[in-house]
Amino acid sequence: MADKQLSLLGLPVDVVNEICRSLLPDILPPDYCTFHDSDEGRKAFKDLLNLASTCKDLYVVVSPFFQKYMDQIHFQPGIVDYIRTILTNPEAAQRETRFEMEPWDKNLIGSIQESDCRLIDGFLGHWTGMLRMATVLEIQADEEAHGYFSEIHWARKNLAAVAVCNIPTIKSISVYGAGRDDHWMMRRLNLPSLTHARLSCFDEVGVCRDGNIEMFLHYIIPTDNITPSLEVLETEGMSFCSYPYLQLPRLRSVTLNLTSLNWIDIQNLIGGSNNVREFVYRSARYDTYLSDLPNEGTGSGSYSADVLVALRYTRSLYTIETLELDFREEGKLLGTLIRCGPCRPSEFIETLAPAKSLKNLRITQQTLWNHAYDFYRDHYGDDSQEPDLRSPRRLIDLLPDSIESFQLSDVTLEFLPSLIALAKHIGDGKGLSKLKKVHLRLNPRFVRQLKHALAHEQDASLPLDMKPCVVDGILLKQSRETQEAFEKAGIEIEFPIDVLPLHTDVLYDLRRQQNLCHWCLDCHSGGNCPRRV
C-alpha cells in the first residue's frame, strides 16, 4: 500500500506558521540595521508570497505575516543609527553592498546617544571640514524646534561619508544634494567597486533642476576624472556637466530624469564611454506641459534633435540598444511662438536610421512634431519647402531596421495616419520586419475625446444638440483602424484609452493629467466641450 502524501495544510496552524517563519531571515522589520538586512527580508517575503500564491488556504494561514511586516519592509535608517551599526559591527559592514539616502526618508538623523558622539568624533579624527557631533546635536535641536530642515539635510550628507567610507564592498549608492555647486559630501571617497550611482538634486522644497553632475561625481570617483567600475548612472534634476569627457569606460546605462542638459553637457558626460547600451532623457517639465496657457519659461535646455547630436558626436548612437526621449514642453514651444517666432524642423528628430543596434525605442510625440511647427509652415505659406513632420511616411523613415519594440507617448489624432501607414508598410513586407511590439499612449485631451465619442456610440440617447457638444466623427474610426492595421501586420499592439503615468511625484501634475482626460455624463450635462481643458 502506497504511503499517504503528507498534507501541509493538514498540520496544525501553529506548525504551518512555524514552517513559514523558518523561511524568513532572523532579522525582520522594523529591526533592520543595514540595507543587506532589508534586501534579505524583501527577497524572503517575495519567496513566501510566491509560495502562498499557489494555494488559497495556505495564503489565508500566512497572511498575518504580510499584514504584520509588509508596511515596514522599506528600510529608512537614521544616519547616526546606521553609522553606529557600521562602525561597531565589521561583519555587517562587510556584507553591505549598497547605501541609500533619500531626502524624503522619515528618519533623517536618528537617535543620538552620548556614546555615538565619542564613536563618530573619534573616527573623524583629523578630517578637516567635517561636522563634529556637538554641532549636529545643535542643528537637530534648533531646526526641529523651528520646523526647518535644510541644515539637517546638510549635516546628514556630511555624516554619510563616515558610513560609506567604512563599507569596503559598496557597489550601489543613492545620494542627494542641493544646487549647482553643492558639496553634498565634504570628504572625497574611494569606491573602486561602485557599479551603480543614483544622484539627485534636492532642496527643502522638493526636487530642483539646478544640479551639476560633475560636482556630485567628484566625491565618488576614485581619481581625478576616472571611475573604471561605474556601469549604471541615474540622475534627477541635473542641469550641468561642465567637465569635458568624464572617463566612464564601463558605463552602459544612463538615465537623466527631470533634466535640462544640453548637447554639450551630454557630450561631456558620456564622451569618455564607448559602451552605452541604454540612454534615457526625460525633460519632464510637466507643470508647463499641463498648463492652460502658453508658458514664457525657457523649458528644457535641449531639444530632442540636440540629444541625437550629442549621441552621434560621442558615437553612442551606434551602440545604444534602448533609447527613451521624453519631451513634453508644449506650453514652452507655444511660448516660443509668442516671443521669438515659431519652432523649426531642426528641433525635432528626423531619422534614427544610423542607430544600427537600436532595438527598443520609447519617445513622446513632441520629439517628432508639435502643433507649434504647423504655425512655422503656415508662416511660409502653402508653397513652403519645409518638411511635413507628420506625413504618412514619418515613422517609416524614422525607425531603423533593427527596431523590435516601439512606444509612442502623448499621441494625438493628427498622428494616427502616420501610425496606420507604418502598420501597412510592415504588413505589406516592405521593411521593419523585426518590429513585433508597439505601445501607444495617448495625450490626455485625446483620451477625453475618445471617452466622449465612445459614450455617444454606446448610448444613442445622449443629446448631440447641445451647442458645446462636439464629437469628431473620425476619432473612433481612425483609432480602430490603427489598432486593426497593426494586428493585421502580426504586431502586438497595446492601445489603451488611458495615459502613461508621468514620471513625477508632484501630485498637482498627476491630478492635472487625470483632469485633462476625464469625461463623464455630468461633464456632458454641464456643457463642457471634450476639446476644452
Side-chain angles (χ1 to χ4, degrees):
M1 183 170 145
D3 294 337
K4 292 180 70 173
Q5 288 186 340
L6 175 64
S7 173
L8 179 64
L9 295 179
L11 298 173
V13 172
D14 290 344
V15 176
V16 176
N17 276 335
E18 190 60 32
I19 292 173
C20 293
R21 176 63 182 85
S22 68
L23 298 176
L24 300 176
D26 294 333
I27 303 176
L28 294 174
D31 298 326
Y32 292 151
C33 295
T34 65
F35 290 100
H36 179 268
D37 293 341
S38 175
D39 293 340
E40 290 293 300
R42 194 184 301 271
K43 180 178 181 299
F45 275 107
K46 183 178 180 181
D47 292 341
L48 182 58
L49 179 61
N50 290 336
L51 176 63
S53 65
T54 64
C55 175
K56 182 179 179 180
D57 292 335
L58 178 59
Y59 186 85
V60 172
V61 172
V62 302
S63 59
F65 282 100
F66 301 118
Q67 295 172 2
K68 182 177 181 180
Y69 296 118
M70 290 303 286
D71 290 341
Q72 310 172 62
I73 200 167
H74 182 58
F75 182 49
Q76 296 181 330
I79 190 63
V80 172
D81 300 317
Y82 185 74
I83 292 173
R84 183 190 309 127
T85 299
I86 294 300
L87 292 184
T88 60
N89 191 339
E91 291 183 1
Q94 188 68 37
R95 290 193 299 267
E96 198 78 321
T97 58
R98 71 181 177 97
F99 174 78
E100 293 184 2
M101 185 177 66
E102 304 292 354
W104 45 81
D105 287 342
K106 295 179 181 178
N107 193 0
L108 296 177
I109 296 295
S111 59
I112 303 178
Q113 304 169 11
E114 185 176 340
S115 58
D116 295 330
C117 297
R118 294 194 299 270
L119 178 69
I120 296 174
D121 283 345
F123 175 81
L124 289 175
H126 299 293
W127 279 15
T128 59
M130 297 293 291
L131 293 180
R132 292 316 191 249
M133 290 305 296
T135 305
V136 175
L137 284 169
E138 291 176 5
I139 291 174
Q140 187 179 41
D142 184 60
E143 297 207 358
E144 285 183 354
H146 295 88
Y148 299 111
F149 294 96
S150 58
E151 292 296 320
I152 285 185
H153 284 293
W154 181 58
R156 188 181 186 221
K157 291 180 290 182
N158 274 262
L159 288 171
V162 179
V164 175
C165 282
N166 285 275
I167 304 175
T169 56
I170 191 167
K171 295 181 179 180
S172 174
I173 190 170
S174 179
V175 293
Y176 66 93
R180 185 184 311 183
D181 301 317
D182 179 61
H183 294 262
W184 73 271
M185 190 176 284
M186 296 305 296
R187 176 76 176 185
R188 197 168 186 183
L189 307 176
N190 184 15
L191 309 176
S193 300
L194 189 70
T195 60
H196 175 266
R198 184 178 183 276
L199 314 173
S200 300
C201 188
F202 177 90
D203 57 24
E204 59 270 20
V205 177
V207 176
C208 56
R209 304 187 179 104
D210 198 30
N212 189 336
I213 295 179
E214 171 205 343
M215 186 64 68
F216 279 70
L217 287 175
H218 174 79
Y219 293 96
I220 59 175
I221 291 179
T223 56
D224 282 343
N225 67 330
I226 301 174
T227 177
S229 59
L230 192 65
E231 297 179 6
V232 179
L233 176 63
E234 301 176 59
T235 72
E236 193 103 1
M238 298 295 175
S239 302
F240 304 92
C241 185
S242 53
Y243 198 102
Y245 284 68
L246 293 171
Q247 298 301 304
L248 308 170
R250 296 184 62 183
L251 189 64
R252 57 178 175 79
S253 177
V254 179
T255 299
L256 307 172
N257 291 319
L258 291 169
T259 189
S260 56
L261 294 179
N262 62 34
W263 71 273
I264 297 177
D265 295 318
I266 298 171
Q267 178 182 313
N268 289 337
L269 177 61
I270 64 175
S273 173
N274 58 4
N275 194 43
V276 177
R277 295 292 184 267
E278 179 180 24
F279 187 86
V280 176
Y281 187 110
R282 300 185 182 115
S283 59
R285 293 280 182 167
Y286 300 129
D287 51 349
T288 301
Y289 159 66
L290 298 171
S291 175
D292 290 340
L293 302 172
N295 189 287
E296 293 297 321
T298 57
S300 171
S302 185
Y303 296 112
S304 54
D306 296 334
V307 176
L308 283 195
V309 169
L311 295 179
R312 187 180 293 112
Y313 193 87
T314 60
R315 305 198 64 79
S316 294
L317 183 63
Y318 311 115
T319 63
I320 286 176
E321 297 177 357
T322 297
L323 176 63
E324 177 178 340
L325 300 176
D326 187 327
F327 288 79
R328 307 200 189 210
E329 287 78 11
E330 183 177 83
K332 178 255 178 177
L333 288 174
L334 292 175
T336 303
L337 263 176
I338 295 173
R339 288 185 292 107
C340 56
C343 58
R344 303 182 181 278
S346 60
E347 298 174 5
F348 303 96
I349 300 174
E350 180 180 352
T351 181
L352 289 168
K356 302 296 185 182
S357 300
L358 187 62
K359 297 179 181 179
N360 310 297
L361 177 63
R362 302 186 297 270
I363 56 176
T364 52
Q365 184 176 286
Q366 289 91 333
T367 64
L368 306 176
W369 168 82
N370 191 285
H371 286 90
Y373 178 68
D374 286 352
F375 287 92
Y376 174 81
R377 296 186 80 228
D378 293 344
H379 178 74
Y380 289 95
D382 295 336
D383 297 329
S384 172
Q385 298 300 309
E386 300 302 324
D388 182 1
L389 295 184
R390 53 185 176 94
S391 70
R393 288 196 57 88
R394 184 70 170 99
L395 296 175
I396 298 170
D397 296 335
L398 170 78
L399 300 176
D401 292 334
S402 57
I403 200 71
E404 296 178 4
S405 71
F406 173 51
Q407 176 176 297
L408 184 64
S409 297
D410 215 44
V411 178
T412 63
L413 176 64
E414 292 88 351
F415 229 75
L416 293 188
S418 298
L419 287 162
I420 295 171
L422 172 65
K424 291 181 177 179
H425 177 83
I426 298 171
D428 293 339
K430 295 180 179 179
L432 301 173
S433 59
K434 294 181 180 179
L435 181 59
K436 300 301 180 185
K437 294 182 180 180
V438 171
H439 304 268
L440 303 179
R441 302 292 182 174
L442 306 183
N443 177 278
R445 295 178 182 86
F446 191 20
V447 171
R448 182 173 180 171
Q449 292 169 14
L450 281 174
K451 287 180 178 179
H452 187 190
L454 280 170
H456 278 282
E457 179 185 67
Q458 295 166 3
D459 187 352
S461 66
L462 286 180
L464 272 169
D465 56 352
M466 302 170 66
K467 184 176 180 181
C469 180
V470 178
V471 177
D472 194 328
I474 66 171
L475 279 173
L476 295 178
K477 179 179 181 296
Q478 286 203 348
S479 298
R480 288 167 178 158
E481 185 179 351
T482 301
Q483 184 157 351
E484 291 168 359
F486 281 108
E487 291 173 348
K488 185 177 180 180
I491 297 172
E492 180 183 332
I493 173 73
E494 184 178 311
F495 192 7
I497 303 181
D498 202 353
V499 291
L500 187 68
L502 300 174
H503 183 81
T504 180
D505 294 321
V506 179
L507 292 178
Y508 175 83
D509 290 342
L510 293 172
R511 291 193 191 103
R512 178 67 178 152
Q513 182 191 43
Q514 291 304 311
N515 289 337
L516 286 173
C517 67
H518 174 74
W519 186 90
C520 67
L521 186 57
D522 291 337
C523 295
H524 182 279
S525 301
N528 289 328
C529 174
R531 290 180 180 274
R532 277 170 45 187
V533 176

